[in-house]
């Protein structure tokens, strides 16, 4: 019994045979097996693939004061269409992909000066923005470059000298100010020798007035007044805004019993400084008094040179 092929069947067989011969000829053209792609390189790109590269000459740490704008640099070359993301390392929050932002905090923005630059901008930086941020490329495995951001709180300032001298019975007035960001708490605490000062404390005669002004960067000012200053009121006074570093000044209470001739004991004058040993009288041509003393005293009658070489002016 013989098998006979109809014309259509013969045509199909001829096509199949021709295809098989083409395949056999293609495989016989080379005796060497196809080399595998190099380890770690994409099969699609073969031996020409090179990974993206970060510009390592850029700073890996950025420090700004609270309220300032922080710019975290990142430059990546050889991207070939890959996206670049910024990720906060502390909670692995994805902040951006290229210029697309994935946070409701509108202080964050990605600035692209060109196709290789991806700067993360943080406006009005806060202290809790401090941490490590990763500039990451979506390769496999991921490529990233960390940038550490440090946001320092601004420091408070107590206006006037670091050491204040007032007479017994006078009113002590200290004024403190600090630049803070717009959303910061404006509360300011005062401490006397590490004890919080309150207007309702047993001392009495204490008032604290605090106010704030400005928009993006605000200035908070607090004024402490203590009436009828007495020896127990001497010591260290610290102004501590909740949104800024504290500042401290030292207050001395000066007892002036009278403007009589100097006492004979040890050659010391008739003025005693509580908590500081009395010094020697200076000749008139050596009377040098700091300009700020005019705010607390009238023209000085004489000056006392203290052991720490500071000058005390008493009228």
């Amino acid at each position: 019994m013989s098998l006979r092929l109809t014309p259509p069947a013969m045509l199909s067989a001829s096509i199949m045979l021709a295809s098989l011969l083409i395949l056999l000829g293609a495989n016989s053209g080379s005796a060497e097996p196809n080399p595998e792609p190099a380890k770690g390189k994409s099969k699609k790109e073969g031996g020409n693939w090179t990974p993206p590269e970060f510009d390592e000459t850029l700073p890996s740490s950025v420090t700004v004061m609270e309220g300032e704008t922080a710019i975290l640099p990142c430059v990546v070359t050889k991207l070939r269409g890959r996206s670049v993301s910024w990720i906060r390392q502390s909670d692995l929050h994805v902040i951006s992909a290229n210029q697309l932002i994935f946070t409701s905090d509108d202080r964050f923005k990605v600035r692209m000066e060109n196709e290789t630059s991806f700067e993360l901008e943080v406006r009005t930086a806060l202290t809790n923005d401090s941490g490590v941020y990763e500039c990451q490329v979506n390769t496999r495995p991921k490529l990233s470059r960390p940038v550490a951001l440090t946001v320092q709180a601004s420091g408070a300032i107590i206006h006037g000298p670091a050491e204040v001298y007032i007479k017994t019975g006078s009113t002590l007035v200290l004024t403190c100010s600090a630049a803070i960001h717009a959303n910061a708490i404006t509360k300011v605490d005062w401490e006397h020798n590490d004890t919080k000062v309150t207007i309702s404390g047993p001392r009495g005669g204490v008032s604290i007035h605090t106010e704030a002004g400005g928009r993006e960067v605000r200035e908070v000012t607090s004024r402490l007044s203590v009436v009828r200053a007495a020896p127990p009121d001497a010591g260290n006074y610290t102004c501590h805004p909740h949104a800024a570093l504290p500042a401290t000044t030292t207050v001395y209470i000066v007892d002036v019993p009278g403007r009589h001739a100097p006492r004979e004991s040890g050659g010391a004058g008739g003025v005693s400084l509580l908590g500081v040993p009395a010094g020697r009288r200076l000749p008139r041509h050596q009377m040098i008094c700091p300009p700020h003393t005019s705010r607390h005293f009238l023209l000085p009658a004489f000056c006392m040179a203290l052991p720490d070489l500071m000058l005390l002016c008493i009228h």
Side-chain angles (χ1 to χ4, degrees):
M1 180 177 178
S2 62
L3 179 63
R4 301 185 64 179
L5 298 176
T6 63
M10 293 178 63
L11 179 61
S12 298
S14 298
I15 293 174
M16 292 178 63
L17 180 60
S19 300
L20 180 60
L21 291 174
I22 291 172
L23 290 174
L24 290 175
N27 290 333
S28 63
S30 174
E32 295 289 335
N34 291 331
E36 295 183 0
K39 186 178 294 186
K41 295 185 178 181
S42 169
K43 292 183 180 180
K44 180 179 179 180
E45 294 174 305
N48 296 326
W49 186 86
T50 55
E53 295 180 357
F54 291 99
D55 185 349
E56 297 295 347
T57 64
L58 298 174
S60 59
S61 63
V62 175
T63 301
V64 297
M65 297 299 295
E66 189 170 29
E68 296 180 340
T69 297
I71 304 295
L72 279 59
C74 181
V75 171
V76 193
T77 57
K78 303 178 183 178
L79 281 172
R80 296 186 179 87
R82 294 179 178 84
S83 64
V84 175
S85 303
W86 278 99
I87 298 174
R88 186 166 52 213
Q89 196 178 81
S90 60
D91 56 2
L92 299 181
H93 177 74
V94 179
I95 298 174
S96 66
N98 292 339
Q99 287 187 296
L100 186 62
I101 303 298
F102 297 107
T103 175
S104 59
D105 192 337
D106 59 3
R107 298 179 304 116
F108 289 85
K109 175 184 176 182
V110 174
R111 306 193 314 186
M112 292 185 62
E113 296 182 356
N114 52 57
E115 61 183 8
T116 65
S117 177
F118 301 84
E119 293 180 335
L120 179 63
E121 176 184 293
V122 185
R123 293 184 293 108
T124 317
L126 309 177
T127 53
N128 56 8
D129 291 326
S130 297
V132 177
Y133 295 77
E134 289 188 3
C135 182
Q136 189 178 97
V137 184
N138 66 334
T139 55
R140 295 184 180 179
K142 300 291 184 183
L143 297 176
S144 65
R145 182 176 188 269
V147 181
L149 172 62
T150 302
V151 182
Q152 297 179 342
S154 59
I157 299 175
I158 297 180
H159 300 278
E163 296 182 323
V164 177
Y165 302 91
I166 66 168
K167 294 189 304 180
T168 302
S170 300
T171 298
L172 169 65
V173 179
L174 298 176
T175 302
C176 168
S177 64
I180 60 176
H181 60 85
N183 299 324
I185 300 174
T186 58
K187 185 177 181 181
V188 177
D189 290 331
W190 284 91
E191 296 178 355
H192 174 223
N193 294 333
D194 298 328
T195 300
K196 186 175 180 180
V197 178
T198 61
I199 59 176
S200 59
R203 171 25 175 113
V206 176
S207 64
I208 299 175
H209 178 69
T210 302
E211 59 185 10
R215 292 185 178 180
E216 290 190 5
V217 178
R218 310 179 69 187
E219 181 177 64
V220 59
T221 302
S222 182
R223 183 173 292 105
L224 169 68
S225 297
V226 180
V227 300
R228 300 181 301 277
D233 297 318
N236 294 327
Y237 283 81
T238 300
C239 165
H240 195 172
H242 285 210
L245 299 176
T248 300
T249 190
T250 303
V251 173
Y252 296 102
I253 309 300
V254 179
D255 182 21
V256 183
R259 302 184 185 182
H260 304 292
R263 292 183 226 158
E264 298 296 331
S265 57
V271 176
S272 63
L273 182 64
L274 300 180
V276 178
R280 58 183 177 82
R281 289 193 61 181
L282 293 177
R284 183 169 295 276
H285 68 277
Q286 294 184 9
M287 294 181 184
I288 304 174
C289 299
H292 64 257
T293 56
S294 61
R295 295 190 304 172
H296 305 289
F297 303 103
L298 299 176
L299 293 177
F302 59 86
C303 294
M304 298 287 294
L306 302 178
D308 59 1
L309 300 183
M310 293 197 61
L311 298 177
L312 169 65
C313 298
I314 306 297
H315 69 278

